[in-house]
Amino acid sequence: MSEPAEAAKGAPALAMHLSPDQQRQRQKLQAVGELATGVAHSFNNTLQGILGNVELARMQAPDDIKPFLDNALSSCADASRLVKNLLQFAGHQARAEQEIASLEACAERVVSMCRVTFDRSLSLKIELKAPLPPVPIHPNEFELALFCVLMNARDALAGQRRGEITVELGTVPVGAAELTKPSAHAWGGPFACVRVRDNGPGLPTTARGPAFEPFVNQLAREGRRMGLANLLECARLHGGWASAESTLPHEASPAQPQGTVVSLFLPYGINKPATPTSAEPTSKLPGPVVLVVDDDDIVRDSVARVLRFGGFTAFTAPDGAAALAFIERGRPAPALVLMDESMPGMDGTTTRKQINRIAPDIRIVMISGHPGLPDDEDGVHGVLEKPVRADVLLDAIRSTLGLVRTPS
């Protein structure tokens, strides 16, 4: 159908005139977003303390203990991903770099989460229609968009017996019929295709056009929700497009059953090399002095231990004033300060400016549980988000100091 597809093509992203009711809905979401940001900062601090200590334990653990610690690290990664998805949904998460990823694995993660939270009477499954190549995507953006589509499908099936939702994964080759639609991107293919089918009552004609607008009232009895705006934004971000087709009960036939089909098309013909993963931290590098500044005792100590294991000489300070006193003593002189942004008393920004004034040669890397910390501020040589893995932390410090890893 061209109607919803054309609506997707021409609908503005989020800059649109909202009714008073829609403005109230938006204000509520903004309030939730602010609350989520505060909770995330505290939670990320907690995760950093757990992650650092578990990684240190794994580095020194016997082989029969490492599988248990690997499970703990995996759980930390899942918790961190959950926080990032929550912040992204609330509009407070900086967009991650694009990477080559498996759409099937991303879809499995989303569907697994939905199976836990959706009504058990709903049938929710994944069907692989064709082998999928790795696709260059922003995984968080894709997973959030798919989650919103599945939420809409779930709501459409409210009160219906034998509700079914199917996530279909496949490819659209060059020259396929879908690529001739007016809404198709000029790319021309090939595309990966993700379709979500439900056997609900379908969207009435008047609701199909606005389906991609935020805060649209698709089903009056269910109230307002986000619609498919996230899907449209995801499609535009990746250079693809989205469409929605719906069949009402009186329009249904054996060949075209009732329900709604929402589709996302993502180009995959051009891939960029995947970022190589770093190896285990090594202690063969020389030991430049790094000062770790954080008001959380567990985070501060665990990060310092990781740095020492990686070959650095690490000292700690509980706040900005203590950090400045350490630097002013001059011995030992830190080559780099790894500093939390949010601290009581003198915050990270104020401390950084003081360090730049009294010791401009010191490199400064900011680390924070808050998302989206700018990395283009004067005197900032790097930014890390909590929780950060040991290998990522060590590689960032080495890179900032211009060090090269010594071969094992």
Side-chain angles (χ1 to χ4, degrees):
M1 292 179 66
S2 60
E3 182 180 357
E6 283 300 296
K9 182 183 178 184
L14 289 176
M16 58 175 57
H17 298 291
L18 300 178
S19 69
D21 188 32
Q22 289 173 329
Q23 289 175 1
R24 285 191 292 272
Q25 295 289 335
R26 191 171 194 175
Q27 289 170 353
K28 289 180 181 178
L29 284 177
Q30 288 172 341
V32 171
E34 294 299 328
L35 176 62
T37 302
V39 172
H41 176 256
S42 298
F43 191 67
N44 281 335
N45 263 340
T46 303
L47 278 178
Q48 184 64 63
I50 296 171
L51 187 66
N53 283 290
V54 171
E55 287 194 304
L56 285 167
R58 190 191 183 282
M59 293 171 188
Q60 304 172 62
D63 290 342
D64 59 334
I65 300 298
K66 287 183 177 180
F68 303 107
L69 298 174
D70 287 337
N71 288 340
L73 290 173
S74 179
S75 294
C76 284
D78 290 342
S80 175
R81 189 181 303 111
L82 181 62
V83 172
K84 284 182 170 60
N85 286 342
L86 174 64
L87 289 172
Q88 187 182 16
F89 185 80
H92 291 262
Q93 174 62 38
R95 179 171 293 139
E97 290 295 323
Q98 193 177 52
E99 61 184 73
I100 306 298
S102 164
L103 286 185
E104 188 176 3
C106 291
E108 284 283 1
R109 282 196 293 269
V110 177
V111 169
S112 295
M113 181 171 60
C114 291
R115 286 193 178 114
V116 174
T117 57
F118 285 11
D119 192 305
R120 295 294 180 89
S121 65
L122 288 180
S123 170
L124 180 56
K125 59 183 179 180
I126 295 180
E127 292 185 358
L128 187 62
K129 296 295 185 180
L132 274 176
V135 178
I137 62 169
H138 299 269
N140 284 349
E141 301 273 353
F142 170 76
E143 291 179 17
L144 175 61
L146 179 58
F147 178 73
C148 288
V149 176
L150 291 173
M151 290 282 286
N152 275 265
R154 180 204 65 178
D155 291 347
L157 295 169
Q160 178 173 318
R161 296 182 61 188
R162 297 180 180 177
E164 296 180 359
I165 303 174
T166 304
V167 180
E168 298 178 355
L169 304 173
T171 58
V172 182
V174 176
E178 288 93 338
L179 302 184
T180 65
K181 292 185 177 182
S183 60
H185 190 273
W187 175 283
F191 283 82
C193 179
V194 182
R195 286 190 171 95
V196 177
R197 297 181 182 270
D198 69 65
N199 64 338
L203 290 174
T205 303
T206 54
R208 295 175 189 174
F212 289 92
E213 297 177 4
F215 311 108
V216 67
N217 190 6
Q218 289 181 284
L219 298 172
R221 68 177 185 274
E222 294 297 332
R224 297 188 183 277
R225 34 181 213 285
M226 283 298 292
L228 302 175
N230 291 87
L231 185 71
L232 181 59
E233 287 302 299
C234 178
R236 287 174 169 168
L237 172 65
H238 294 93
W241 83 98
S243 66
E245 302 180 8
S246 206
T247 304
L248 300 177
H250 69 274
E251 300 171 333
S253 66
Q256 189 170 353
Q258 75 173 48
T260 300
V261 181
V262 178
S263 303
L264 173 65
F265 299 87
L266 301 172
Y268 67 85
I270 296 180
N271 292 340
K272 68 177 184 178
T275 303
T277 56
S278 56
E280 286 283 330
T282 176
S283 57
K284 295 183 179 180
L285 290 173
V289 175
V290 177
L291 177 62
V292 180
V293 188
D294 200 301
D295 61 294
D296 188 297
D297 295 345
I298 296 177
V299 171
R300 186 173 64 246
D301 292 342
S302 65
V303 169
R305 289 192 186 99
V306 168
L307 291 171
R308 291 172 190 136
F309 187 89
F312 294 93
T313 303
F315 292 86
T316 63
D319 53 41
L324 291 174
F326 181 93
I327 292 170
E328 287 173 343
R329 284 199 302 269
R331 293 185 180 181
L336 182 143
V337 173
L338 178 66
M339 181 164 50
D340 188 22
E341 170 61 25
S342 179
M343 296 184 293
M346 188 182 297
D347 64 13
T349 299
T350 303
T351 306
R352 167 177 57 79
K353 291 179 179 179
Q354 291 294 323
I355 294 173
N356 289 336
R357 182 181 61 82
I358 64 176
D361 292 336
I362 294 178
R363 314 290 283 182
I364 298 177
V365 174
M366 306 300 294
I367 183 169
S368 177
H370 286 299
L373 197 65
D375 58 1
D376 56 354
E377 297 284 343
D378 290 340
V380 175
H381 304 93
V383 171
L384 294 169
E385 285 187 17
K386 297 175 182 176
V388 58
R389 290 289 301 260
D391 55 349
V392 176
L393 171 65
L394 291 172
D395 283 347
I397 300 302
R398 290 168 183 146
S399 176
T400 303
L401 292 175
L403 300 176
V404 179
R405 181 188 297 277
T406 303
S408 302

